[in-house]
Amino acid sequence: MNKINQVFANRGDKKFLSLYFCAGCPTLESTGDVILTMQRRGIDFIEVGIPFSDPLADGPVIQSAATQALKNGMSVQLLFDQLKKIKDEVQIPLILMGYLNPILHYGIEAFCQSCVESGVSGMIIPDLPFKDYQETVKPIADKYDLRIIMLITSETSEERIRFIDDNTDGFIYMVSSAAITGAQKSFDDAKQEYFRRINAMNLRNPRMIGFGISNKQTLEAAQQNAAGAIIGSKFVTLLNEADGHADTALDRLFDALAQ
C-alpha cells in the first residue's frame, strides 16, 4: 500500500501535521538531515520542495528559499540522489512539491521512476492542468503507485471538487486562501465558512489544510476542519533563521504553535 494511504488508513482520531521545506535551502547538503530530523520529531508527512525560478503560487518566503536553493546548486537529479541515500531510513511519506516545467524537462516517466527509487510516495504539482493530469500524468503515476495530490480553494466549484475527489487518491490539499503562500495570524469568517462547506460535502478523500498556518489559532482551525494541517512558510523561515538546524527550527515551530 502507498505510504500516504497507509497513514490515513491507520489514523483513528489522530490529527496530522505535514511540513514543507525547500530542498537545498539554506544549505545544499541539508536535505537528508532535515527529513530524518522531522521524522524523529513526529512529523507525519514531509513535503520536499523542488526549487524553481518562477514559483507562481508561492509567497516571498518560499520564493526566496527557491532562489537560494538554485544558487546553492540544487537540481532535480541532485535531490533524487540525496533522497536515495536516506531511503531505507525514511518510514513516513515523502511528497515532492514542484512545478510542471522541471518535471517535464526531466521526463514524466523518468521522474516517476526516480520517485520510486528514492522513496517518494506522491507529488503536488500546483500548475498541472487537471486535463493533463488525467490524460498524461495519472496513467504513469498509477503505474508506479504514486499519488498526485490536487489542490482546491474557496473559489473551486462544488462540481469540480467532487470531480477531483472521484479522480484522485491520497488526500486533497485544501488551500486556505486563494492567494499565495504565507503565514497568517487567524482565519476569518469567510475561510471558516469555506472549511465548514467542504466538511459538509462528505468527500471520499481525506483533506489537509495548508497556506497561512503559523500559530495555535490557525493550526486548531485547520485540524478541526480536516485530517490535519500543512505548514510551509513558517517552517521555512525558522529553518533559515536556524541556519538549517532542523531540531532548533522545530523547537521554535512547536513553541509558536502552542501560542
Side-chain angles (χ1 to χ4, degrees), residues 108-175:
I108 294 174
E109 179 130 16
F111 189 88
C112 289
Q113 185 171 348
S114 291
C115 282
V116 173
E117 293 169 352
S118 306
V120 171
S121 298
M123 291 169 264
I124 299 170
I125 311 171
D127 59 340
L128 174 63
F130 201 82
K131 185 172 185 290
D132 292 346
Y133 156 73
Q134 282 191 295
E135 295 179 357
T136 305
V137 178
K138 186 178 187 298
I140 300 172
D142 287 350
K143 173 182 171 182
Y144 290 94
D145 195 31
L146 295 167
R147 303 293 176 259
I148 309 296
I149 308 304
M150 304 301 288
L151 287 75
I152 64 171
T153 75
S154 58
E155 297 177 358
T156 309
S157 69
E158 178 173 338
E159 180 183 13
R160 184 165 180 82
I161 292 170
R162 293 203 182 279
F163 188 69
I164 289 171
D165 189 44
D166 288 341
N167 290 277
T168 62
D169 191 21
F171 67 90
I172 291 174
Y173 191 135
M174 262 182 83
V175 177

Side-chain angles (χ1 to χ4, degrees), residues 80-94:
F80 281 133
D81 291 343
Q82 291 179 343
L83 294 178
K84 285 177 186 176
K85 291 178 182 177
I86 61 168
K87 177 184 177 182
D88 293 340
E89 300 175 71
V90 179
Q91 305 301 317
I92 63 176
L94 297 182

Side-chain angles (χ1 to χ4, degrees), residues 7-139:
V7 168
F8 284 112
N10 297 328
R11 70 173 173 170
D13 295 327
K14 180 179 172 63
K15 294 295 184 177
F16 298 113
L17 180 60
S18 177
L19 296 186
Y20 166 96
F21 78 103
C22 183
C25 181
T27 65
L28 183 62
E29 299 298 334
S30 61
T31 304
D33 179 68
V34 172
I35 290 170
L36 293 176
T37 302
M38 283 200 274
Q39 176 176 265
R40 176 170 52 81
R41 297 291 298 271
I43 303 305
D44 301 294
F45 300 89
I46 300 174
E47 293 176 18
V48 184
I50 302 171
F52 182 50
S53 56
D54 191 22
L56 298 175
D58 295 313
V61 170
I62 294 177
Q63 284 188 19
S64 177
T67 299
Q68 184 61 53
L70 291 172
K71 285 180 180 178
N72 288 346
M74 180 52 71
S75 66
V76 175
Q77 186 59 62
L78 178 56
L79 173 56
F80 281 133
D81 291 343
Q82 291 179 343
L83 294 178
K84 285 177 186 176
K85 291 178 182 177
I86 61 168
K87 177 184 177 182
D88 293 340
E89 300 175 71
V90 179
Q91 305 301 317
I92 63 176
L94 297 182
I95 301 167
L96 293 187
M97 186 165 188
Y99 291 85
L100 187 58
N101 186 284
I103 296 172
L104 290 177
H105 183 74
Y106 195 92
I108 294 174
E109 179 130 16
F111 189 88
C112 289
Q113 185 171 348
S114 291
C115 282
V116 173
E117 293 169 352
S118 306
V120 171
S121 298
M123 291 169 264
I124 299 170
I125 311 171
D127 59 340
L128 174 63
F130 201 82
K131 185 172 185 290
D132 292 346
Y133 156 73
Q134 282 191 295
E135 295 179 357
T136 305
V137 178
K138 186 178 187 298

